[in-house]
Amino acid sequence: MDTIEPDFIETETGNGYGSTLSTSARGTLDESIVSTFKRDFHEINDKLKKVVYPHFPLGSPSAQDQHVFQGTDLWAPLCFIILYSLFLSKGRGRFSSFFITCWLVISAMATHLKLLNPHEPMSWMSYLSLAGYCMFPQVINSLACSIILPLFNKIPKVTLIRLIVIARIVSFALCSSWSIISMWKVSKSQTLVQKYPLALCLVTLGWLSVIC
Amino acid sequence: MSAKKDLIDRDDDDINPFEDDSFVPQVTPGLKPFEPELQDITLETTREAPQPAITTGKASIFSKLSPYFQVDETTLKQKLITALKLGELKSLRDPESQADAQLDLYSTVWITATVIMVLFLSYSGKSVIGSLITNSFSDVIDFQIMINCLFLFYIYVLGVPILAFLICKFVFKEPFDVITAIDTYGVSNVVWVPIGFISVVTGLVGPFENIIEWVLVAIGGAYSGGIIYIQLKNVVTELQNGKVLLLAMIGVHILFTLLVRWIIL
C-alpha cells in the first residue's frame, strides 16, 4: 500500500479551552510539521493562559483548570529554559550552567510540592510541568535584562548605566512577583511553609537576570 | 489433533477457526473481513491525568520522606528562635508523647538554600550597588560561586552527620542519632542569613572591608558552632569516644568557616 494510515482516529472534543489535554495526539503521521507545531503552540498558549497570564492570578483556578494542571507537558518548560539560558549566556559559553541550574531549581520546586502533598492526584511530573510554565515571566525578565536594556547603553555620548541597573531591578521585581503569585495559585499553596521555598527558587532565577 | 483438544472442541458450540481446518470465513461483498468495530472502543489518544500513584515506588519514596517535611509554621518559628537564643531544641519536645515534634528535614534543606541564596545575593549585590554608585558596570559576577557555595553548604550539612554516623557505627560500634545531627547542622546555618545581608554593605566601607568581613565570618562560625555544640553535646558525650568525635567536628567546622570566607564572603 502506498498510503500511510494514521496511528489512531482522533475524536473532536470541542472544549472552549483548546485541546490542552490531548498533547499525545501529536502522534499522527499524516499531518504536516507546520500543523504539528501550530497545534503545540496553541496548546502551550492555552495552558499559559491558565497558569501565568495576567488575568489568571487575580482569579482562582476552577475545577476544569485543575484538570489542565495535572498534565505533564514538558515541551513548554524545555523551550522556556532554553530561551532563558540563551538570553543569559549571550554566547559566553555559560549556557549549560544556566540550563542545568534551571532544571535543578524547578525540580526542587516540584519535589517540595510533592513532599508536602504526597497523596494529591498531582504527580511529580505535573508539578515539574507547572513549575516550568511559571518560568515564563522569568524568560521575559531575562529578555528584558540581558537583551533589550543593554541596547540603551549603545546610545552614543549618553551614560545610562544607573538607569539600566534600576530598570533591571524593577523588571526583576515585577516578573518575579508575577511568577511567584502564579506558582502559589496553581499549586494552591496556603501557608508560609508551602509558599516560601517556591518564592526562594523563583527569586533566585530572577536575580540571575539582574547580575548576568 | 490430540484427543484432549477434541474434547475441548466438542464442548464448545462455536466454530473455532484456529482448530477446525474445515472452517472457511464467509466474506460478504463490499465489506472487509475481520474489520474491528472501532466505534465501541474508547481510544486512549489523550494523555490522561496521572492517577494518585500511591502504590508506585516513586510515590512510596515521597510518602516515606513526607513526614520529615510536614512542618507546622509555629513550631518552625519556635525552633529557629530557640536555636538563635542558644537554647536546647529538645525543650520543644511534646511533654505528653515525648515526640520530637521539632525534628524535621524541611528546615535543614530550605534554611541551607536560603543561606546560599543570601550569600550569593550579598556577593553579587556588592557589584550592583557599585554600578549604581560609580555609574559604570562593575566586575563580571562569577556565577560559578553560587554552585561552589551550594556544594560547600550541602556537603557540610549532610556530609558531617552522615560521616559521624558511619564512624560511630563501623569504628566505635556505637549508635549515633544522625537525623538530629542533620537537623541541628541545618538549623545552625540560620546564623549566616543576617551575616550575608550585613556583608552587602561592607563594600561601602572601603579600606576596612577585609577586616569587617573576617569579623563577620568569625562571628558566624562561632555562633553556628555554638548552636551545634549545645544541641549535640548530650548526644556526643554519651559516646565512649565522644571527645574524639567532638574534636573532629570542631576541626571540620573551623575548616568550613574558613572556606565560607575564601569562597564567597
Side-chain angles (χ1 to χ4, degrees):
Chain A
M1 288 290 175
D2 293 327
T3 55
I4 300 170
E5 294 292 326
D7 292 352
F8 45 77
I9 296 165
E10 189 182 350
T11 51
E12 288 292 328
T13 50
N15 58 2
Y17 296 92
S19 51
T20 312
L21 294 174
S22 61
T23 329
S24 65
R26 66 168 65 93
T28 51
L29 294 172
D30 59 344
E31 67 174 12
S32 64
I33 294 171
V34 177
S35 311
T36 309
F37 272 119
K38 266 186 186 171
R39 197 184 51 236
D40 285 353
F41 179 78
H42 285 300
E43 285 176 3
I44 290 171
N45 188 41
D46 284 338
K47 193 166 177 180
L48 270 179
K49 276 182 189 167
K50 292 177 173 54
V51 179
V52 289
Y53 280 0
H55 75 272
F56 173 66
L58 304 175
S60 295
S62 64
Q64 196 178 15
D65 292 338
Q66 203 58 42
H67 193 58
V68 173
F69 298 158
Q70 290 177 8
T72 53
D73 166 36
L74 290 180
W75 260 118
L78 177 67
C79 294
F80 295 155
I81 288 174
I82 288 174
L83 284 174
Y84 174 87
S85 309
L86 271 178
F87 291 147
L88 288 194
S89 61
K90 287 181 282 190
R92 278 184 278 176
R94 291 184 297 175
F95 177 85
S96 55
S97 302
F98 290 119
F99 186 80
I100 292 168
T101 305
C102 276
W103 278 114
L104 284 177
V105 168
I106 66 166
S107 305
M109 287 160 73
T111 308
H112 160 69
L113 288 170
K114 190 63 193 164
L115 282 170
L116 289 192
N117 312 298
H119 302 301
E120 287 276 313
M122 300 276 283
S123 67
W124 184 82
M125 289 291 276
S126 307
Y127 283 125
L128 188 73
S129 175
L130 272 186
Y133 270 91
C134 290
M135 275 279 299
F136 180 69
Q138 301 298 349
V139 177
I140 295 174
N141 184 29
S142 61
L143 174 69
C145 290
S146 299
I147 308 292
I148 296 171
L149 290 173
L151 293 178
F152 292 100
N153 200 29
K154 292 185 177 173
I155 300 171
K157 295 178 183 176
V158 185
T159 314
L160 294 169
I161 290 172
R162 249 179 223 145
L163 276 179
I164 291 171
V165 173
I166 290 170
R168 275 181 174 180
I169 293 169
V170 170
S171 166
F172 154 72
L174 290 175
C175 292
S176 296
S177 312
W178 177 10
S179 56
I180 288 167
I181 292 170
S182 302
M183 193 69 217
W184 286 350
K185 287 273 183 184
V186 293
S187 63
K188 290 196 274 185
S189 299
Q190 303 288 332
T191 61
L192 185 69
V193 169
Q194 290 173 320
K195 287 176 174 178
Y196 174 71
L198 302 173
L200 181 73
C201 290
L202 290 167
V203 164
T204 306
L205 290 179
W207 182 249
L208 289 180
S209 301
V210 177
I211 57 167
C212 290
Chain B
M1 215 174 281
S2 66
K4 196 177 176 184
K5 219 175 240 179
D6 285 338
L7 274 172
I8 294 165
D9 285 342
R10 228 174 284 142
D11 291 342
D12 197 349
D13 292 329
D14 297 325
I15 299 167
N16 189 342
F18 298 105
E19 296 294 332
D20 193 345
D21 295 333
S22 64
F23 173 75
V24 178
Q26 296 293 312
V27 180
T28 312
L31 281 178
K32 289 179 188 173
F34 309 120
E35 191 168 15
E37 293 179 355
L38 285 173
Q39 64 270 21
D40 294 331
I41 302 167
T42 312
L43 292 172
E44 296 291 330
T45 56
T46 55
R47 188 175 294 177
E48 290 294 325
Q51 297 300 311
I54 294 163
T55 53
T56 62
K58 196 181 273 184
S60 66
I61 290 169
F62 286 120
S63 302
K64 277 178 191 171
L65 284 175
S66 181
Y68 291 105
F69 288 84
Q70 304 287 344
V71 189
D72 177 41
E73 207 175 305
T74 320
T75 312
L76 187 65
K77 276 181 194 167
Q78 278 182 344
K79 182 179 172 176
L80 294 180
I81 291 167
T82 310
L84 284 172
K85 286 180 178 173
L86 297 177
E88 277 199 64
L89 292 178
K90 281 193 175 176
S91 62
L92 300 174
R93 188 180 268 182
D94 187 0
E96 286 181 9
S97 64
Q98 287 295 303
D100 285 333
Q102 84 286 354
L103 260 189
D104 64 83
L105 292 179
Y106 176 94
S107 48
T108 303
V109 171
W110 292 111
I111 287 173
T112 309
T114 308
V115 171
I116 293 163
M117 177 56 191
V118 168
L119 289 179
F120 184 66
L121 197 77
S122 75
Y123 159 75
S124 50
K126 286 173 197 170
S127 293
V128 174
I129 292 172
S131 301
L132 284 172
I133 292 169
T134 59
N135 200 23
S136 63
F137 283 119
S138 301
D139 310 331
V140 177
I141 291 151
D142 190 1
F143 174 64
Q144 186 65 32
I145 281 182
M146 192 173 88
I147 295 167
N148 294 344
C149 194
L150 188 137
F151 279 114
L152 173 68
F153 272 87
Y154 277 110
I155 286 175
Y156 178 66
V157 163
L158 299 174
V160 174
I162 291 171
L163 199 68
F165 167 74
L166 292 174
I167 289 170
C168 286
K169 189 174 182 185
F170 295 108
V171 180
F172 300 154
K173 312 283 183 193
E174 288 177 287
F176 183 78
D177 191 355
V178 67
I179 297 288
T180 305
I182 290 175
D183 184 41
T184 304
Y185 270 77
V187 170
S188 72
N189 279 332
V190 77
V191 169
W192 294 105
V193 175
I195 287 176
F197 280 118
I198 295 167
S199 74
V200 178
V201 292
T202 55
L204 308 173
V205 187
F208 301 107
E209 182 183 352
N210 198 26
I211 298 166
I212 293 173
E213 280 175 353
W214 271 111
V215 171
L216 287 174
V217 167
I219 292 170
Y223 204 162
S224 59
I227 292 172
I228 295 170
Y229 176 74
I230 286 167
Q231 307 308 326
L232 292 184
K233 67 180 177 191
N234 293 332
V235 177
V236 175
T237 49
E238 281 172 6
L239 304 172
Q240 284 181 344
N241 297 293
K243 276 190 179 175
V244 180
L245 195 66
L246 193 66
L247 285 174
M249 286 163 95
I250 291 169
V252 174
H253 187 73
I254 291 169
L255 181 67
F256 164 75
T257 309
L258 292 173
L259 284 173
V260 170
R261 170 73 187 100
W262 287 326
I263 288 179
I264 194 150
L265 269 177

